[in-house]
Amino acid sequence: FIYEGTHQRPDIDLKTFEPLNYWFAKDQNSVFSSGRPIPGADASSFKMASCGSSEVFSEDKNRCYWYEHAVPCDCAPRHEGMF
């Protein structure tokens, strides 16, 4: 099983679970930011952002993300509360 703290996470597939860094993980079905699923994220193409400007930028074949928020794929700096 996968656990978040002391809580079991039956929504995560153990066989395909892959931590990407401190903030992001994925399995064959979903992508997670800080343990929460990112709605609409494509698990098969999800990766850390190619611009590499921060460990909280990521991307999939459809969009880019700052934490779990969809943002323009312009690699512009983002600040808390601004995305």
Side-chain angles (χ1 to χ4, degrees):
F1 296 102
I2 299 285
Y3 287 85
E4 183 176 9
T6 59
H7 298 100
Q8 196 176 75
R9 294 289 305 264
D11 60 323
I12 299 175
D13 179 40
L14 177 62
K15 292 180 181 179
T16 62
F17 181 72
E18 178 184 355
L20 301 173
N21 68 8
Y22 181 80
W23 303 101
F24 295 102
K26 68 180 185 174
D27 66 13
Q28 69 179 354
N29 302 310
S30 301
V31 178
F32 305 91
S33 174
S34 300
R36 294 181 305 269
I38 301 176
D42 179 68
S44 65
S45 65
F46 191 88
K47 62 182 181 176
M48 300 316 299
S50 57
C51 62
S53 60
S54 172
E55 67 179 17
V56 295
F57 278 105
S58 56
E59 62 187 63
D60 65 18
K61 68 180 183 176
N62 300 313
R63 65 190 60 85
C64 293
Y65 302 90
W66 182 66
Y67 293 97
E68 71 276 12
H69 307 284
V71 296
C73 293
D74 59 6
C75 295
R78 307 282 184 235
H79 303 285
E80 188 172 343
M82 299 171 58
F83 43 86

